[in-house]
Amino acid sequence: MNWKEEFKAATDILIKGGVILYPTDTIWGMGGDIFSKRAMEKIYSVKFRSKAQPLILLVSSIEMLKCFASDIPPRVEDLLSYHQKPLTVIYRKVKDIPDYLLAADGTVAIRITKEFYSKGLIDTLGRPITSTSANISGMPFPKSFGEIQSHIIEQVDFISTYKRDAIDNPLPSVIIKYEESGELDFVRN
């Protein structure tokens, strides 16, 4: 199967409300179509994760981000353009995002992925996907596919073939929140 065929197979699963296991620009993640409440419920269930802990959304471009983030301050847009590490931003003003993806304060964390596989998935689907580490909540995140717990592997509907044999030293993304005062709060460095 070539990448175009794999992206199509994965997006067919996403459209049907399934959950996928895939490498992101940071670590291996579990994801679903942001418009599938069923997929979100399954992710929380498989991870034994509290729904009070919102999921990150991945988009493939600044243009896609602007479809969902209503107000991107110029300082944040500059950071998104020049920051070398994967950068997740918590946005206060969002639109067209289902309520079940919003934090209690109405915010949502979104990252523009530049990584081949996750970007290809999102572009094929034509909308954002969720991302959360492929582990049981509270356990260490997997540094490679081989470290993903069998419980997770058995519960997902699709598993990427990309980077299955890779031994990387991935790190989660940097997470920032742009405060109304104009200050940047580094939630995770």
Side-chain angles (χ1 to χ4, degrees), residues 32-37 40 68 96-98 100-101 127-128:
D33 180 347
I34 68 167
F35 297 113
S36 173
K37 188 172 185 179
M40 299 312 108
F68 297 95
D96 301 325
I97 294 176
Y100 54 80
L101 289 173
R127 56 185 176 260

Side-chain angles (χ1 to χ4, degrees), residues 77-125:
E77 195 164 345
D78 286 344
L79 265 175
L80 292 171
S81 298
Y82 299 109
H83 202 267
Q84 296 300 310
K85 294 180 182 177
L87 179 65
T88 301
V89 180
I90 299 172
Y91 294 94
R92 292 182 178 284
K93 297 179 183 175
V94 294
K95 56 188 175 184
D96 301 325
I97 294 176
D99 289 344
Y100 54 80
L101 289 173
L102 302 177
D105 64 359
T107 61
V108 69
I110 306 174
R111 181 169 75 245
I112 299 173
T113 182
K114 298 174 186 169
E115 189 274 330
F116 162 77
Y117 194 87
S118 51
K119 185 172 173 30
L121 276 175
I122 295 162
D123 285 341
T124 303
L125 183 63

Side-chain angles (χ1 to χ4, degrees), residues 3 6-7 10 19-32 43 46-47 49 55-56 58 86 111 113 115-118 121 129-137 139-150 152-154 156-173 188:
W3 295 123
E6 182 163 323
F7 292 153
V19 173
I20 64 169
L21 188 59
Y22 67 104
T24 72
D25 52 341
T26 57
I27 58 180
W28 273 81
M30 291 175 55
I43 290 169
V46 169
K47 284 182 63 81
R49 181 179 173 126
L55 304 175
I56 291 173
L58 294 184
R111 181 169 75 245
T113 182
E115 189 274 330
F116 162 77
Y117 194 87
S118 51
L121 276 175
I129 58 176
T130 60
S131 185
T132 183
S133 55
N135 62 322
I136 293 173
S137 192
M139 300 296 290
F141 66 84
K143 294 182 179 170
S144 66
F145 178 77
E147 290 186 8
I148 298 172
Q149 298 150 321
S150 59
I152 301 287
I153 291 170
E154 293 164 1
V156 298
D157 303 299
F158 180 90
I159 302 172
S160 165
T161 62
Y162 186 64
K163 288 193 171 184
R164 274 203 202 170
D165 298 323
I167 305 295
D168 296 329
N169 191 19
L171 296 172
S173 68
R188 181 174 70 199

